[in-house]
Amino acid sequence: EKKIDHIITKSISRFARNIVDSIKYIRELKALGISIYFEKENIDTGEMTSEMMVALYSVFAQAESESISNNVKLGKRFNYKLGRVPMMYGTLLGYRKGEDGNPEIIPEEAEIIEIIYTKFLEGYSYHGIAQYLMEKGYKTKKGKTEWKRSVIQGILHNEKYRGDVLVQKTYVVDLFTKKIAKNTGELPMYLIRNHHIPIITPEVYDQVQVECARRNSLKPVSEKTVSKKSRFNSKYALT
């Protein structure tokens, strides 16, 4: 909107974390007649005839970001080896952080987890369980009454409900794009057994995993389906 003429920045590393973004936005702003002053490097893009110095400092800033990122990753993996793992209480139904800092069971939420596991072993589908919970008025971790199939599926496959924690299931592919990918062997995973009090017994949890595998191994609905995935039907007793 042409309301800014000049930008004062502490340093190039505060402006952008990699050389591509740094040069891109400097050029965009310059095209709009906006100059940038970097205090630490004492560079003013309004007086600059060449981008070489900015590019050079941007390389240093990028290297610094990569170094910090690698140090953080190494620190996290060291903690994983010692059994120190984070618990995402904000999205984890059934648990909260106790006064001693360890996971504590929330009874009313644990009841929902037990219902989901029980209904699944009774033959209910993911959709059927979601419908049951909505009819009974049970709420999600975020306080919503709408239950999605993916949420039910995630709960049934979450090893935290049997008292274990598996970390590094996913990893950040690129530091700058923040793209996250599923870990299929690219990095080591860490499984901490008996990390906290379980809501579901290991025997029931294992039965659910076997049942999930059984349903996934069923024949596809049609030979024409591209994915060849089966579709479990809980509508009729004999299916």
Side-chain angles (χ1 to χ4, degrees):
E1 295 180 358
K2 309 286 184 181
K3 292 179 181 179
I4 297 172
D5 303 309
H6 194 60
I7 297 171
I8 300 171
T9 314
K10 182 184 175 184
S11 68
I12 289 174
S13 66
R14 298 295 124 212
F15 181 74
R17 289 296 189 180
N18 65 76
I19 186 170
V20 175
D21 284 350
S22 185
I23 298 299
K24 176 188 172 184
Y25 293 118
I26 286 170
R27 285 176 180 172
E28 280 187 20
L29 291 165
K30 204 169 183 180
L32 294 168
I34 303 167
S35 59
I36 309 158
Y37 176 64
F38 301 103
E39 291 181 318
K40 183 180 176 182
E41 294 82 8
N42 193 26
I43 296 173
D44 191 329
T45 60
E47 300 171 0
M48 188 176 66
T49 55
S50 170
E51 291 177 349
M52 189 182 72
M53 289 304 293
V54 174
L56 189 62
Y57 281 114
S58 296
V59 169
F60 294 148
Q62 182 171 325
E64 182 187 3
S65 294
E66 289 169 349
S67 175
I68 291 168
S69 175
N70 288 331
N71 289 340
V72 170
K73 286 176 185 175
L74 287 171
K76 284 183 176 179
R77 284 168 196 161
F78 179 75
N79 284 329
Y80 295 159
K81 288 178 183 179
L82 296 176
R84 300 174 192 156
V85 293
M87 294 284 281
M88 304 301 176
Y89 295 106
T91 56
L92 185 64
L93 189 74
Y95 288 102
R96 64 184 164 217
K97 191 175 184 179
E99 291 181 3
D100 58 356
N102 294 317
E104 181 181 271
I105 292 174
I106 305 170
E108 56 271 24
E109 291 185 6
E111 183 189 345
I112 300 171
I113 301 299
E114 289 170 353
I115 289 169
I116 290 171
Y117 275 76
T118 302
K119 291 296 177 188
F120 186 77
L121 290 177
E122 285 178 0
Y124 278 65
S125 63
Y126 298 130
H127 179 72
I129 296 170
Q131 288 293 116
Y132 177 86
L133 294 174
M134 285 189 280
E135 286 170 9
K136 296 294 182 182
Y138 289 108
K139 293 183 179 179
T140 65
K141 187 70 177 180
K142 294 181 180 178
K144 295 181 179 179
T145 53
E146 183 187 357
W147 287 84
K148 293 183 179 178
R149 182 185 185 278
S150 58
V151 173
I152 304 297
Q153 194 172 8
I155 288 171
L156 289 168
H157 287 289
N158 196 333
E159 78 290 337
K160 291 182 179 69
Y161 294 119
R162 63 165 283 166
D164 301 337
V165 181
L166 180 65
V167 285
Q168 210 154 256
K169 296 176 189 175
T170 59
Y171 67 100
V172 179
V173 179
D174 185 79
L175 168 64
F176 304 108
T177 61
K178 305 294 182 187
K179 184 183 176 183
I180 295 174
K182 187 178 180 181
N183 185 5
T184 55
E186 292 81 3
L187 294 171
M189 289 187 190
Y190 301 89
L191 177 64
I192 294 89
R193 294 281 191 190
N194 305 314
H195 177 264
H196 53 271
I197 301 168
I199 292 174
I200 302 299
T201 63
E203 294 76 19
V204 171
Y205 179 85
D206 291 342
Q207 283 175 27
V208 165
Q209 306 318 305
V210 171
E211 176 60 11
C212 283
R214 187 192 73 80
R215 293 185 189 186
N216 289 336
S217 67
L218 295 173
K219 288 183 179 180
V221 180
S222 168
E223 289 299 322
K224 294 180 180 179
T225 55
V226 177
S227 66
K228 297 297 178 187
K229 285 185 178 180
S230 65
R231 188 172 72 192
F232 175 77
N233 190 334
S234 62
K235 189 175 180 182
Y236 306 106
L238 294 177
T239 59

